[in-house]
Amino acid sequence: TQLLEQSPQFLSIQEGENLTVYCNSSSVFSSLQWYRQEPGEGPVLLVTVVTGGEVKKLKRLTFQFGDARKDSSLHITAAQPGDTGLYLCAGDQSNFGNEKLTFGTGTRLTIIP
Amino acid sequence: NAGVTQTPKFRILKIGQSMTLQCTQDMNHNYMYWYRQDPGMGLKLIYYSVGAGITDKGEVPNGYNVSRSTTEDFPLRLELAAPSQTSVYFCASSAGTSVVNEQFFGPGTRLTVL
């Protein structure tokens, strides 16, 4: 059983369109991180959300942590080819900090020029 | 700083062979991790360490061993390679000094067992 489910698993859209990726769980997390991974490389952290209901913006990317801290979403406005990659959410269930993370199943995003 | 480095980048093993995947970080991080990533999937935690001399199992530890004799190094050992261990292996580290810790990843080792 996967603790963190991401949807959709694959998404291919035209440049300039908007999209939303979801990360859902039945468990509560003390924090949740979003990573982006490009082919042949390791994941790189985009953002961390900690407070239920928190919204963080990173240029055209908007991240939201659910009020109950069980889910999160990533919204991209006016997608560009440089946004292509594998997006991974990762949750921390510990109370004392990031000793272990549980990674989601991933969303592979392709932006078509 | 080089960050997290992994060697080798690619390796092909025969069933039953052994090998060690090397991981080194130069950020003086306390926490280090080994993950495997199967095609099109997320990351699964194999083993992790919260400091030199301390290691613990993750989600999928069977068939692997680790050691942490120094802060910098966290090698992963495969004793009897099996086709099910074909995967991309990532090492990561984090400072472990605050509530929210970013994990820094190496470039990965692509392992094929035939």
Side-chain angles (χ1 to χ4, degrees):
Chain A
T1 302
Q2 185 67 36
L3 195 60
L4 276 170
E5 295 283 348
Q6 289 185 238
S7 61
Q9 188 176 359
F10 299 95
L11 183 58
S12 181
I13 63 170
Q14 295 287 335
E15 180 177 358
E17 293 184 351
N18 302 332
L19 67 107
T20 302
V21 173
Y22 300 93
C23 174
N24 294 302
S25 176
S26 57
S27 301
V28 175
F29 294 96
S30 57
S31 67
L32 197 137
Q33 300 181 348
W34 283 93
Y35 289 79
R36 180 167 66 206
Q37 183 180 17
E38 299 191 11
E41 300 181 5
V44 176
L45 181 69
L46 294 173
V47 78
T48 302
V49 285
V50 179
T51 306
E54 181 178 3
V55 177
K56 279 192 174 179
K57 290 193 175 185
L58 185 67
K59 296 184 180 178
R60 294 175 294 100
L61 279 62
T62 302
F63 303 85
Q64 184 163 9
F65 202 11
D67 291 341
R69 291 185 287 126
K70 293 182 179 181
D71 53 81
S72 181
S73 63
L74 158 60
H75 183 79
I76 300 179
T77 303
Q80 298 179 2
D83 297 326
T84 293
L86 178 66
Y87 288 80
L88 296 164
C89 63
D92 174 18
Q93 291 184 292
S94 68
N95 291 322
F96 303 107
N98 183 10
E99 188 172 296
K100 287 193 297 183
L101 289 177
T102 299
F103 279 82
T105 48
T107 293
R108 188 165 299 279
L109 175 63
T110 303
I111 308 302
I112 304 166
Chain B
N1 287 348
V4 179
T5 57
Q6 293 183 236
T7 56
K9 289 190 176 182
F10 303 93
R11 184 73 185 268
I12 298 174
L13 285 181
K14 294 183 179 179
I15 294 172
Q17 287 186 319
S18 301
M19 77 164 294
T20 299
L21 282 67
Q22 301 291 344
C23 175
T24 299
Q25 53 93 7
D26 63 359
M27 296 173 282
N28 200 33
H29 283 170
N30 291 319
Y31 294 178
M32 294 188 75
Y33 311 84
W34 274 106
Y35 294 93
R36 60 176 287 171
Q37 185 175 38
D38 297 328
M41 303 293 288
L43 301 169
K44 292 190 176 179
L45 183 64
I46 304 171
Y47 270 95
Y48 69 104
S49 168
V50 299
I54 305 170
T55 62
D56 209 345
K57 295 178 180 179
E59 183 184 356
V60 289
N62 291 343
Y64 307 93
N65 278 300
V66 294
S67 60
R68 184 95 183 270
S69 57
T70 67
T71 298
E72 295 79 20
D73 301 307
F74 190 40
L76 177 70
R77 178 83 177 162
L78 282 71
E79 291 293 349
L80 292 170
S84 61
Q85 294 178 304
T86 294
S87 190
V88 181
Y89 292 83
F90 288 98
C91 179
S93 72
S94 67
T97 56
S98 67
V99 173
V100 174
N101 277 293
E102 175 181 0
Q103 289 194 11
F104 294 84
F105 286 82
T109 294
R110 185 176 296 274
L111 175 67
T112 302
V113 182
L114 300 174

